[in-house]
Amino acid sequence: MKSEAECPSDIFSGHTVGAVIVCAGRGERTGLSYNKILYNLGHKTVLETTLDKFVQAHVDKIVLVISPDDKAAIDELRAPYPNTCTCFGGDTRSVSVQNGLKALPDCDIVVIHDGARPYVDPDIIDKSIVSAINFGSGIAAVPTVDTVKEVTDGRIERSIRRDKLYNMQTPQTFRYNEIVKAYNTVLGSFTDDAEVYEKAGYTPRIVVGSYDNIKITTHNDLLRTLPSSMRVGIGFDVHRLVEGRPLILGGVHINYAKGLLGHSDADVLVHAVMDALLSAADLPDIGVLFPDTDPEYENISSMLLLDRVLERVADKGYTINSVSCVIIAQQPKMAPHIQEIRKNLAARLNLSIDRVNVSATTTENLGVIADGNAIASSASCLLSM
């Protein structure tokens, strides 16, 4: 659905609008070992969050300017988004923008945006487009709120009036032919498209941006992107080992002489995961939801019970970010089964396997577990809303 706020829909008719989203940066200043646009914000990556905003605005096609190293990952992320393509960036932002412009012909208006600004408002994108249609450009900017000083060698030389000062953001939107001409005319490397436009003899015009439209640049910026409604949950369970029962952990059947005793299949690992999820979502534990006095749950697969827990967690508006589990057992050895258990849990939780960790430990020959009479498990999870 296209944004309409303060932008009459008829002004967009007859204008083809393209977007160049610059995504070719690296993650050094954020402390990441990979491109920051691939960082997961909880529900989606930075890139997906940015694209979500652009598909809500009056943008017809999008070029993502990327690094060759990220092509496979970005192609997978952009697959659900129509009318997107990629081109490779250059050594500087200016070269990257020029490459994006060349990959976006037949446009009347072009929106240039930093891929690392995932919180741009679709209304601001549309306002910048309207400004470019009417005046040639629309540059998102916000008034400077801090006191500004000119400093030399640590000495304050003078105060600068801030009533006419603005902090530039993206999107920066232009008539396509004018910004292409500007980049072809003005030589040098620039971090701001409006400066190129101005040096080419045009007069950039601002639209009011938003202080929420932050650019993710440093590690602190990553911390600012964390959802405010993160919830941590912890679960624990233990079941007795007996003969004549199958041993099932994480939904995986393990060949062993004994199995876990319980009303259901007694999958102690899944039970711990369920209680972790339920505690994080402020829901009753599995003993309340699936009592062992109810014949409906006799010998039921714990994976089916996990499905019901996932429905309850989703109904409360939570998304699972990660799950971490520990199996506590003296016998059998867990190492040969860990990867299969991880894959099984990840598939059921609808998470990538790197967000589901399963490890194993013993009790160093102490207690009922060391005697081979029980297996326990603990689990923790992180949810966001």
Side-chain angles (χ1 to χ4, degrees):
M1 182 177 180
K2 303 300 186 184
S3 166
E4 301 290 346
E6 298 185 30
C7 298
S9 58
D10 58 345
I11 198 167
F12 299 100
S13 0
H15 297 90
T16 301
V17 180
V20 171
I21 301 180
V22 184
C23 307
R26 307 305 307 167
E28 286 92 345
R29 283 186 287 175
T30 59
L32 298 173
S33 60
Y34 55 89
N35 193 331
K36 57 195 173 187
I37 66 160
L38 302 177
Y39 179 76
N40 197 295
L41 296 172
H43 293 80
K44 295 184 178 182
T45 61
V46 171
L47 176 60
E48 291 170 291
T49 306
T50 302
L51 285 172
D52 284 343
K53 304 304 174 59
F54 272 78
V55 298
Q56 295 176 60
H58 286 80
V59 174
D60 301 302
K61 46 190 173 180
I62 299 171
V63 172
L64 303 176
V65 186
I66 67 171
S67 164
D69 294 340
D70 299 325
K71 180 169 173 48
I74 288 176
D75 280 346
E76 182 178 351
L77 292 175
R78 74 176 179 87
Y81 297 90
N83 302 318
T84 62
C85 66
T86 61
C87 73
F88 294 141
D91 293 334
T92 66
R93 185 183 185 280
S94 294
V95 174
S96 293
V97 170
Q98 287 179 286
N99 290 352
L101 292 171
K102 291 174 185 175
L104 192 69
D106 304 322
C107 278
D108 302 305
I109 302 295
V110 59
V111 183
I112 303 173
H113 188 67
D114 296 321
R117 287 187 187 269
Y119 299 118
V120 60
D121 192 313
D123 288 341
I124 293 175
I125 299 173
D126 277 350
K127 289 174 187 174
S128 74
I129 295 169
V130 171
S131 180
I133 291 171
N134 290 331
F135 306 107
S137 62
I139 315 300
V142 291
T144 299
V145 294
D146 295 320
T147 298
V148 180
K149 305 284 187 180
E150 184 178 312
V151 177
T152 302
D153 296 328
R155 300 188 308 272
I156 295 176
E157 300 288 346
R158 67 186 180 102
S159 298
I160 300 174
R161 288 184 58 182
R162 66 185 181 193
D163 54 330
K164 292 185 178 181
L165 297 181
Y166 279 74
N167 295 342
M168 297 298 104
Q169 301 180 330
T170 64
Q172 299 194 1
T173 305
F174 308 89
R175 291 177 185 151
Y176 178 82
N177 291 336
E178 292 179 359
I179 192 64
V180 169
K181 181 180 178 181
Y183 265 108
N184 289 338
T185 303
V186 179
L187 301 179
S189 177
F190 301 89
T191 59
D192 179 62
D193 308 296
E195 184 179 2
V196 177
Y197 191 72
E198 180 185 9
K199 286 182 178 296
Y202 299 105
T203 302
R205 188 181 181 97
I206 70 162
V207 296
V208 178
S210 167
Y211 293 105
D212 294 329
N213 183 20
I214 65 167
K215 183 180 180 183
I216 298 174
T217 303
T218 67
H219 179 69
N220 284 339
D221 295 328
L222 291 179
L223 296 179
R224 290 171 65 188
T225 67
L226 288 174
S228 60
S229 54
M230 302 292 280
R231 301 289 295 269
V232 175
I234 298 174
F236 180 84
D237 198 22
V238 59
H239 280 269
R240 184 180 299 277
L241 279 168
V242 297
E243 294 181 355
R245 292 271 298 183
L247 179 56
I248 303 170
L249 291 172
V252 174
H253 287 251
I254 296 173
N255 187 20
Y256 189 58
K258 295 180 180 180
L260 293 169
L261 180 64
H263 187 62
S264 65
D265 64 5
D267 187 332
V268 67
L269 176 60
V270 174
H271 289 189
V273 170
M274 288 192 289
D275 270 340
L277 295 170
L278 291 166
S279 69
D282 192 28
L283 290 165
D285 62 40
I286 58 173
V288 175
L289 296 179
F290 316 117
D292 59 11
T293 55
D294 191 333
E296 177 186 354
Y297 306 119
E298 187 172 1
N299 294 322
I300 192 172
S301 166
S302 294
M303 297 297 273
L304 294 178
L305 298 180
L306 176 59
D307 289 341
R308 299 186 189 185
V309 168
L310 294 177
E311 289 175 3
R312 287 174 174 265
V313 170
D315 286 344
K316 291 204 70 173
Y318 287 104
T319 296
I320 304 170
N321 291 288
S322 63
V323 171
S324 182
C325 320
V326 180
I327 302 169
I328 308 164
Q330 199 71 40
Q331 290 292 337
K333 297 297 182 185
M334 290 292 115
H337 310 290
I338 292 295
Q339 274 306 101
E340 185 180 2
I341 292 172
R342 285 184 71 198
K343 289 179 182 177
N344 205 43
L345 277 178
R348 207 66 169 221
L349 295 168
N350 196 29
L351 294 173
S352 58
I353 194 167
D354 63 313
R355 292 179 173 272
V356 178
N357 189 58
V358 178
S359 59
T361 189
T362 69
T363 58
E364 297 294 335
N365 295 309
L366 296 172
V368 65
I369 291 175
D371 293 338
N373 293 321
I375 292 178
S377 181
S378 66
S380 61
C381 71
L382 186 63
L383 306 185
S384 64
M385 184 172 286

